[in-house]
Amino acid sequence: MTGKKLTCLECAQINRVPEDRLSAGPKCGTCGAALMPAKAIDVDWTTLQKAARADEVPLVVDFWAPWCGPCKMMGPEFSKAAGTLAGRARLVKLNTEDFPQSSQTYGIRGIPTMIRFEKGREAKRQAGAMRADGIVAFAG
Ligand code: ZN
């Protein structure tokens, strides 16, 4: 079976989606959740790790925390960028307060930090809050 591997952000099941279906609202074969949601999704540590390794569509992660002012300012911008990028990249958020192991695993020194994963590897990272257009440029 061909197609792009995508980890469901709700149930962590790996799906395969034909490339020409990525913009057509594909759904998880197991739980029915949208595989290419037009908004940023909060993920847990297990799902993030799985998606970062397995996904064949760019995955952009916003590492943030509730106590971080710049992170809060960036939140709506990140959501806006997710809408713009729907079908091309997936944008997810990881709360580093809930999952502190993320700092060590990915060597994160300050938040917000964005990392773009592609084909199981880190492709790019950016520290500091950004506006939606900057996030789109970073993710694309
Ligand atoms: Zn699912």
Side-chain angles (χ1 to χ4, degrees):
M1 202 172 151
T2 58
K4 299 269 189 190
K5 268 200 256 176
L6 277 177
T7 306
C8 175
L9 300 174
E10 300 295 333
C11 75
Q13 182 67 44
I14 292 178
N15 288 252
R16 273 191 184 276
V17 180
E19 204 157 355
D20 62 357
R21 295 275 307 151
L22 287 174
S23 312
K27 290 196 162 56
C28 173
T30 302
C31 76
L35 287 173
M36 295 295 289
K39 57 180 185 173
I41 303 288
D42 278 289
V43 291
D44 64 24
W45 180 241
T46 308
T47 306
L48 172 74
Q49 294 242 283
K50 201 167 172 183
R53 283 194 209 107
D55 282 15
E56 292 174 343
V57 169
L59 179 78
V60 180
V61 187
D62 173 18
F63 294 90
W64 72 287
W67 49 262
C68 156
C71 297
K72 278 190 194 153
M73 286 184 347
M74 183 167 147
E77 299 292 316
F78 196 71
S79 293
K80 206 192 287 179
T84 305
L85 290 161
R88 289 187 278 153
R90 297 202 297 178
L91 274 63
V92 299
K93 294 164 71 80
L94 186 90
N95 183 336
T96 58
E97 196 173 64
D98 290 346
F99 306 104
Q101 61 270 54
S102 55
S103 301
Q104 200 185 350
T105 302
Y106 295 114
I108 292 165
R109 292 186 190 87
I111 50 171
T113 287
M114 279 194 303
I115 299 181
R116 190 176 93 194
F117 294 94
E118 264 183 80
K119 301 184 181 103
R121 292 201 316 262
E122 174 177 337
K124 240 181 176 186
R125 79 164 61 194
Q126 168 84 42
M130 292 181 85
R131 304 194 67 85
D133 53 359
I135 298 166
V136 169
F138 173 85

